[in-house]
Amino acid sequence: MLLTIDGIVPRRHQLRVEAWRGWKESGKGLEPIIEAHALILDRIRERDPEAAARAMREHLGQAREGLVRLRDGRREHPGHDHT
């Protein structure tokens, strides 16, 4: 199991970096991400697992939005490195 986790961690980090890059390229800032994290923590503190799960899904939607934006930008500009 440890070998599996060791293999996943670098990819997970790469996806987080790419999601953030795409999010920034869409013109969005850090504030919505901070608000999403705060909402997740609030729902956990309230001991409301359904609301916490909903807030987490919404936040993962932000990550997906960033990844889609980055992917679409790469399609529009093949060969252009979006770093």
Side-chain angles (χ1 to χ4, degrees):
M1 178 140 159
L2 187 56
L3 292 175
T4 301
I5 293 171
D6 286 345
I8 293 171
V9 169
R11 179 65 179 139
R12 185 184 62 132
H13 175 74
Q14 180 185 4
L15 285 171
R16 290 177 69 191
V17 169
E18 290 177 359
W20 175 242
R21 184 178 303 135
W23 183 262
K24 286 191 323 183
E25 286 181 11
S26 72
K28 298 182 179 177
L30 188 58
E31 191 63 33
I33 304 297
I34 293 170
E35 290 172 2
H37 285 169
L39 182 61
I40 294 163
L41 289 173
D42 286 347
R43 298 305 171 251
I44 291 169
R45 286 185 189 118
E46 293 167 1
R47 300 187 187 282
D48 188 341
E50 291 84 15
R54 251 190 330 273
M56 188 65 206
R57 280 191 299 275
E58 289 173 14
H59 177 50
L60 290 174
Q62 292 172 317
R64 182 178 189 281
E65 186 178 335
L67 289 169
V68 168
R69 169 66 176 95
L70 188 65
R71 179 201 64 200
D72 291 350
R74 287 179 177 164
R75 285 184 183 163
E76 294 170 9
H77 307 286
H80 184 270
D81 184 12
H82 288 264
T83 56

